């Protein structure tokens, strides 16, 4: 978690240095927390990440959508926990010792997102991000902000960049969040 805190501080400093303005283009570079859902690797803006916690079974809420696993008490704050695999239509996976909850601050609400594992924090230059391909609305393509390409010793690594705030808002998570 040390690298998350450090990366977040650097990104916040850079944002403040540039007048606090958000990048005009949706494909602007920056620092991203990378995580896995099944075989795919995703990235979200590091500034949305509050912390990373080990998975603990949440308290289920009656009549909640299937992607909302329940709620947990995080230092006195009731936090809804969502399963990103279910939100994005991925195959359901077994919860194991690598499963973590990425605690996010989205739209002024604290939300936990269950992911298979967290990889690392990477910095992507604007040139390393390409537009997301055009897909049907059922594939939640509107919440993919771009595809990042990372050169590795094994070749190119593709990273699906998500608009996590938009994804959470569209799924109704904001209406469950408790402040």
């Amino acid at each position: 978690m040390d690298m998350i805190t450090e990366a977040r501080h650097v990104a916040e400093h850079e944002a403040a240095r540039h007048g606090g303005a958000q990048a005009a283009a949706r494909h602007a570079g920056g620092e991203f927390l990378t995580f896995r859902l099944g075989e795919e690797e995703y990235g979200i803006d590091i500034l949305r990440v509050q912390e990373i916690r080990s998975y603990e079974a949440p308290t289920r809420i009656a009549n909640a959508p299937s992607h909302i696993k329940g709620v947990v008490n995080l230092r006195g704050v009731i936090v809804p926990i969502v399963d990103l695999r279910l939100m994005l239509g991925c195959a359901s996976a077994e919860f194991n010792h690598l499963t973590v909850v990425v605690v996010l601050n989205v739209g002024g609400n604290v939300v936990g997102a269950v992911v298979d594992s967290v990889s690392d924090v990477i910095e992507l230059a604007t040139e390393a991000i390409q537009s997301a391909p055009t897909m049907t609305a059922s594939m939640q393509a509107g919440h993919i902000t771009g595809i990042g390409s990372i050169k590795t010793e094994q070749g190119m690594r593709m990273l699906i960049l998500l608009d996590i705030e938009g994804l959470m808002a569209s799924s109704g998570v904001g209406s469950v969040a408790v402040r």
Side-chain angles (χ1 to χ4, degrees):
M1 282 202 267
D2 232 27
M3 70 177 174
I4 300 293
T5 305
E6 181 179 332
R8 201 163 171 224
H9 288 300
V10 169
E12 287 170 350
H13 174 71
E14 285 300 309
R17 194 171 68 118
H18 291 96
Q22 294 289 333
R26 292 190 72 171
H27 311 299
E31 290 185 313
F32 299 88
L33 173 70
T34 64
F35 58 89
R36 297 195 75 77
L37 296 174
E39 297 298 314
E40 303 304 324
E41 191 170 20
Y42 294 83
I44 55 174
D45 182 356
I46 192 69
L47 293 177
R48 300 281 177 233
V49 178
Q50 185 171 309
E51 66 182 277
I52 298 170
R53 302 178 51 86
S54 58
Y55 178 79
E56 63 181 83
T59 301
R60 181 84 179 131
I61 296 179
N63 298 320
S66 62
H67 64 272
I68 298 177
K69 303 308 273 179
V71 295
V72 296
N73 186 332
L74 181 61
R75 294 182 295 281
V77 177
I78 303 301
V79 178
I81 304 296
V82 299
D83 190 333
L84 281 185
R85 293 174 293 208
L86 296 177
M87 284 182 72
L88 296 172
C90 300
S92 189
E94 207 173 287
F95 293 88
N96 60 36
H97 69 283
L98 295 176
T99 305
V100 296
V101 174
V102 179
V103 180
L104 305 162
N105 187 329
V106 291
N109 294 313
V110 178
V111 177
V114 178
V115 300
D116 292 341
S117 64
V118 170
S119 304
D120 53 12
V121 175
I122 60 160
E123 185 169 352
L124 286 176
T126 302
E127 309 81 58
I129 302 173
Q130 297 177 357
S131 296
T134 304
M135 295 185 246
T136 63
S138 65
M139 295 179 76
Q140 298 281 0
H143 302 299
I144 297 174
T145 60
I147 306 293
S149 298
I150 307 157
K151 191 173 184 176
T152 66
E153 292 178 8
Q154 294 79 24
M156 291 302 282
R157 182 172 140 201
M158 303 299 283
L159 182 65
I160 302 166
L161 303 177
L162 295 176
D163 171 11
I164 196 69
E165 190 163 340
L167 181 63
M168 293 293 176
S170 73
S171 69
V173 174
S175 62
V176 191
V178 180
R179 292 184 191 181

